[in-house]
Amino acid sequence: MKGAAFYLLGRGGQALLVLWAAFSLSFVILYALPSDPVSIMLNQSGEQTAVNPQQVAQLRAQYHLDEPLAVQYGIALWNAVQLDFGDSIQSGQPVSASLAQALPKTALLAVASLVVSLVLGVGLALLASLTRQRWLRDVLLGLPAVAVSLPTFWVGLLLLQWFSFGWHWFPAMGNQGLASLVLPTLTLAIPTSAVIAQVLARSLAATSRLPFVDALRAKGLSPSRVLLTHVLHNAVIPILSLSGVIVGSLLAGSVVTETVFSREGIGRLAQGAVSSQDIPVVQGVVVLAALIFITVNLLVDLLYPLLDPRIRGAAR
């Protein structure tokens, strides 16, 4: 129990360190940009019109942009510790409200993409492992390498061209109904499923060469039963290790995907905030993404002993 408590405290300290680093790095990068967020806000129409200097000074004071950089950082960090990221410079809406409004839409897209990725990736790896035709196995194992190399925006544009503009099967943009979710889900799922298929196929091949598999075959079990009942259970552990990477890729891919399909969500919110140098919104998005990444990795660490008895035995 004491060891578990120290472990949780250590992971909690690491989580806080990662959150602080993510917040600080985003702060430094945004303030290093040459443009001024207040000027961008006052010229949202794109026309260079004369602005009232008094209005500019008032807005800069409102967002503490007239303070020294160290003071601005201290104020922003103290507010972030209290989960207060302030108001958006562009919309004036509280950042927490913007995140709460956008998060469910991105979460729905991410969960749908993850489910499709698992189905495609695991299915392809199992099919390649079960087939007895060497040429077919080589073809199936070569598909993930091709899919990984495809840029996300290109996949999205290709799906739009085929299924929206060409055959008119699915809407090209928006968040209306499940039909509008299909193409963005496939856009995110294709590269993610390729990674899952690559890792799982190698893990299945390595696990199939272990001595316990030879013993099971000697008992007369069919290859499919050995693979699905015994080998898959042990081979899936590396996929669990990739959970953090997969979640990170889904969050990063959502920026491109939601922009291509004009979907509301965290990705599009982040893209718009970076373009307009909306510092409070960007910092809120960065901290939220880091928090999700940390939470997933912590859950993975806690699940390891349940899936691998060797880890459970070592912990004792």
Side-chain angles (χ1 to χ4, degrees), residues 13-204:
Q14 293 177 6
L16 292 176
L17 182 62
V18 170
L19 288 174
W20 170 79
F23 177 87
S24 301
L25 185 61
S26 65
F27 181 91
V28 171
I29 292 176
L30 287 169
Y31 277 89
L33 295 176
S35 55
D36 179 22
V38 172
S39 300
I40 295 175
M41 178 183 65
L42 294 176
N43 291 281
Q44 289 184 20
S45 63
E47 300 178 0
Q48 297 296 327
T49 57
V51 295
N52 188 343
Q54 184 177 359
Q55 183 183 11
V56 174
Q58 182 180 357
L59 287 171
R60 291 183 63 83
Q62 178 182 346
Y63 292 100
H64 306 288
L65 296 175
D66 57 342
E67 301 282 357
L69 187 60
V71 175
Q72 294 182 47
Y73 175 76
I75 293 173
L77 182 60
W78 174 248
N79 291 335
V81 170
Q82 303 175 72
L83 301 180
D84 178 14
F85 295 96
D87 299 333
S88 167
I89 296 178
Q90 294 298 307
S91 66
Q93 185 179 12
V95 174
S96 57
S98 299
L99 294 176
Q101 182 179 359
L103 182 58
K105 301 177 178 64
T106 299
L108 177 61
L109 175 60
V111 170
S113 301
L114 182 59
V115 172
V116 174
S117 299
L118 288 172
V119 172
L120 294 177
V122 174
L124 183 60
L126 290 176
L127 186 60
S129 301
L130 286 173
T131 184
R132 297 183 179 180
Q133 301 293 330
R134 183 176 180 83
W135 68 269
L136 180 57
R137 184 188 307 114
D138 292 340
V139 170
L140 292 174
L141 293 178
L143 290 177
V146 176
V148 168
S149 65
L150 299 177
T152 302
F153 75 91
W154 186 82
V155 174
L157 292 175
L158 193 64
L159 293 177
L160 276 175
Q161 180 64 36
W162 287 349
F163 297 103
S164 291
F165 304 140
W167 299 329
H168 306 287
W169 288 0
F170 302 103
M173 60 185 63
N175 297 65
Q176 289 77 33
L178 292 177
S180 65
L181 187 65
V182 173
L183 296 185
T185 296
L186 289 176
T187 301
L188 274 179
I190 288 174
T192 306
S193 63
V195 174
I196 294 173
Q198 282 183 318
V199 174
L200 184 58
R202 294 194 188 101
S203 184
L204 287 171

Side-chain angles (χ1 to χ4, degrees), residues 231-248:
V231 174
L232 181 60
H233 174 76
N234 293 276
V236 78
I237 293 177
I239 298 297
L240 191 63
S241 303
L242 283 176
S243 298
V245 176
I246 291 173
V247 170

